[in-house]
Amino acid sequence: MGKKPLSEKQIKSLRKLVDGKPLHELLLNLSVDLMLRGSDLLNLKVADVVSESGNIKTEVKVKQKKTGKTTLSMPLSKNSVESIKKHLMDKPQNEFIFKGQKAYTGKPITIQQYARIIKRWMSDLGVEDTSNFSTHSMRKTKASVIYDKTKNVDAVRRLLGQSSVTATSAYLGVTDNSALDLARQYSI
């Protein structure tokens, strides 16, 4: 739970770095948009983002492995839509989006591979200590931005599919001090 989210600036820089690399473009954009745990993200299939008629879905719902609950319909950003358009339109519906290099297995990349990719991204961005970043960093990124802009822990809890505000507060690193800082900003 102690992994750091990426900043909006880091995401923008990464988009330039991964341009033209299908797996990386899709991983970056979909991981930020969908805020899924790594295992749920890596198990996405083309059918989850492209309809049978060949249209890119505007929103994506996923049944979470850990909780068994279905996420809210998460909207896809322009960046995700462009990545899907570029890399998935001719792929079979039942194919994994994040197919590993050993395509003959038909399996997606592993969580370990995903974590190594994130570490490499952070290193490419010039981050010296990449140990603070992993797959949870990607799940937290958009959630943290939304929380920072709205301070609405319950909304973020719902987006992440978590069951308690307490767990979400801990996940986002909302401390008693940050809560007190908010209280100090407002007087009635």
Side-chain angles (χ1 to χ4, degrees), residues 35-99:
M35 297 179 275
L36 294 169
R37 288 177 188 85
S39 59
D40 293 325
L41 180 73
L42 297 181
N43 279 303
L44 288 175
K45 293 195 173 185
V46 173
D48 291 316
V49 297
V50 179
S51 70
E52 282 187 46
S53 60
N55 295 317
I56 296 172
K57 296 180 179 181
T58 56
E59 296 183 344
V60 175
K61 275 185 175 187
V62 176
K63 185 171 182 176
Q64 298 177 78
K65 265 191 192 172
K66 183 176 178 178
T67 63
K69 295 178 185 171
T70 300
T71 62
L72 297 176
S73 287
M74 302 303 276
L76 290 177
S77 68
K78 177 178 66 89
N79 292 303
S80 285
V81 169
E82 288 303 313
S83 295
I84 292 165
K85 211 179 279 182
K86 251 170 48 179
H87 305 297
L88 296 178
M89 295 312 289
D90 59 342
K91 304 287 188 225
Q93 288 273 297
N94 65 344
E95 190 172 282
F96 287 106
I97 293 173
F98 306 109
K99 205 163 58 169

Side-chain angles (χ1 to χ4, degrees), residues 101-185:
Q101 288 183 326
K102 296 177 182 172
Y104 62 87
T105 67
K107 293 182 180 177
I109 63 170
T110 65
I111 282 286
Q112 293 79 9
Q113 288 169 303
Y114 178 31
R116 280 193 297 272
I117 288 169
I118 293 166
K119 300 259 188 240
R120 194 171 335 124
W121 287 347
M122 299 317 293
S123 180
D124 290 348
L125 288 176
V127 172
E128 287 187 30
D129 184 7
T130 62
S131 66
N132 291 320
F133 297 92
S134 194
T135 60
H136 267 294
S137 298
M138 302 312 294
R139 175 166 158 79
K140 278 183 177 181
T141 295
K142 188 173 181 179
S144 295
V145 169
I146 292 169
Y147 174 74
D148 288 344
K149 290 182 178 184
T150 66
K151 302 301 184 209
N152 189 334
V153 177
D154 191 50
V156 174
R157 175 193 68 78
R158 290 168 188 265
L159 291 169
L160 291 171
Q162 294 180 324
S163 56
S164 79
V165 169
T166 306
T168 304
S169 295
Y171 192 74
L172 294 172
V174 178
T175 61
D176 289 346
N177 287 342
S178 58
L180 288 171
D181 288 344
L182 274 177
R184 289 182 188 107
Q185 289 177 28

